[in-house]
Amino acid sequence: MRLVVVGNGMAGSRLVSEVRARDKDTKVTVFGAEAWQPYNRVLLSNVVAGTSSPDQVRLLDPRWYAEHNVTARLGVEVTAIDRDSRTVVAADGTREPYDVLVLATGSEPIVPPIPGVERATAFRTLDDCERIRRAAESARSAVVVGGGLLGVEAARGLAGRGVSVTLLHLAGHLMERQLDEEAGLILGETLGALGVAIRTGVTVSAIGERHVELAGGEPVEADMVVLACGVRPVVGLARDAGLEVERGIVVDDELRTDDPSIFAIGECAQHAGRVYGLVAPGWEQASVVADLVTGTDKGARYRGSRLVTRLKAKSVELAAMGETQLTDDEAEIVRFSHRHKGTYRKLVIRDDRLVGAILLGETSAVGTLTQLFDRGGPLPGDRTGLLFPDLAGAAAVADSPVRMPDSARVCQCNNVTKGQIRACWESGARNVEAVAAATRATTGCGSCRDAVEGIVGWLCEQEGVSA
Ligand SMILES: Cc1cc2nc3c(=O)[nH]c(=O)nc-3n(C[C@H](O)[C@H](O)[C@H](O)COP(=O)(O)OP(=O)(O)OC[C@H]3O[C@@H](n4cnc5c(N)ncnc54)[C@H](O)[C@@H]3O)c2cc1C
């Protein structure tokens, strides 16, 4: 069987390693338009902030391909799919035949059509980070355009490097897809205290040599400009090949396109009407496709994902999940706002189930809320206790490793449960590194590291073993 993968990003590289873990014989070729070895895009904010080097965000050891008999065509873009001859055509003129083709082409940044936009740098790739890092070395002022997750992380990272940053956002409040207005406002104030000036409800009309111009003509000083204006799925190859494409490449529960020999995974895929913008769905999809194409589990299916967004910006704690924007007329809302302290907590409940939550400034309840959100089970009557797990008598369901049920998902990115961590411990793993090597927990965004450490420590304590 000849498997060809187009795209060597987070989903494509995971698929290749999952296939090899199941099957040594499949002939695997992966094309990656970027010249880099696959890397953890989720951690690029750390590269911009200067807390991680490019080497530290690598996903696979460079020797991995040779050692696992996988052909990696790095820096080679695929330009066409010939479905009649089942061949992909690469930019260097080579052709690669396939029995199964997987498209994992990801997303590309949206670049607004404004004069001078070529002076700005997008924020998607390791090359972009290198450009941002170099520019930040000599810049005194920076503008980040776009106040979504990426824009906030980029702005915080640049401010941490000592650059004077202004974050410009079109919508009325920051991260409007994940946060309600009040949370967006408090996030803005928190960032303000960390040296990021926030301007919401503004439109950029032009980018000049040393400034950005707002609609209406007001200039904002900017030695450098970073664009974080959203992404769109990369679907050109699929569309040109006549595959069904809406916003993303349309796939079914097997991640198959309307051509049964072609699959799509990651941010380029559209499943049940949804295109995801986080890594966990792509990694779950990679595992399903690996099961199907190697025949390991012919019944494997992808049924959609429930997402938890966590900000990775130093000194800004933020987690958001589900339908956070519903009003009191549409759902039961429990909210606690302490603007002066920069904290905001909100539960959105429908039919006694948690359908959304925001934790800003203080996220100790995130484990409990994530489990309740994931499982969709009925909530305890004491709603306030859910928001304040540390209060005496509070109904903390699970943040402590002791109370957490085995089914609790600890690592959101890699879908690893407490039960899997326990099993791993029982087979001899005694620290986070060993658990990560066996289960991949902590290797996505890394925000579950403390939880994994807590579980390992607790298990060791139970058995009187030193961690
Ligand atoms: C700064 C930043 C922070 C993020 N933070 C988080 C986070 O906290 N949590 C989270 O879950 N997600 C986060 N994300 C999103 C996460 O990185 C993506 O969901 C994930 O990378 C998607 O994986 P993918 O493989 O679908 O796409 P990508 O990782 O983008 O990989 C696609 C690859 O395909 C290549 N390609 C495209 N077309 C071709 C072609 N024709 N031929 C060959 N190669 C091609 C591209 O060059 C690219 O390398 C973040 C993203 C960024 C940029």
Side-chain angles (χ1 to χ4, degrees), residues 209 277 282:
E209 283 291 344

Side-chain angles (χ1 to χ4, degrees), residues 237-293:
L237 265 186
R239 184 175 277 134
D240 293 349
L243 298 173
E244 188 186 356
V245 172
E246 290 175 357
R247 215 181 127 228
I249 305 165
V250 176
V251 293
D252 61 16
D253 287 0
E254 293 189 337
L255 286 321
R256 262 182 235 272
T257 65
D258 52 340
D259 178 334
S261 60
I262 305 181
F263 295 74
I265 59 171
E267 285 191 3
C268 67
Q270 176 179 321
H271 174 264
R274 284 186 78 181
V275 173
Y276 294 99
L278 295 179
V279 73
W283 279 353
E284 205 178 327
Q285 293 165 357
S287 165
V288 170
V289 172
D291 279 342
L292 291 170
V293 302

Side-chain angles (χ1 to χ4, degrees), residues 5-13 31-34 39-45 73 76-79 104-107 123-125 129 149-150 153 231 234 237 265-268 276-283 308-312 413 445:
V5 182
V6 182
N8 199 23
M10 295 193 77
S13 61
F31 288 87
E34 292 182 74
Y39 56 87
N40 189 341
R41 208 175 292 286
V42 170
L43 300 182
L44 287 187
S45 313
R73 308 286 312 278
V76 182
E77 187 184 353
V78 168
T79 51
T105 48
S107 297
F123 182 29
R124 177 78 193 174
T125 66
C129 287
L149 174 87
L150 264 56
E153 290 186 1
V231 294
V234 175
L237 265 186
I265 59 171
E267 285 191 3
C268 67
Y276 294 99
L278 295 179
V279 73
W283 279 353
V308 179
T309 303
R310 297 221 40 182
L311 192 70
K312 306 166 303 302
C413 298
C445 74

Side-chain angles (χ1 to χ4, degrees), residues 405-452:
D406 270 1
S407 60
R409 195 152 54 114
V410 178
C411 174
Q412 300 294 318
C413 298
N414 285 288
N415 200 7
V416 181
T417 61
K418 176 188 166 192
Q420 286 168 294
I421 296 171
R422 181 203 289 279
C424 182
W425 186 89
E426 280 161 3
S427 339
R430 290 291 177 269
N431 54 37
V432 176
E433 286 63 38
V435 171
T439 66
R440 290 184 151 134
T442 75
T443 62
C445 74
S447 62
C448 63
R449 196 182 163 88
D450 287 350
V452 174

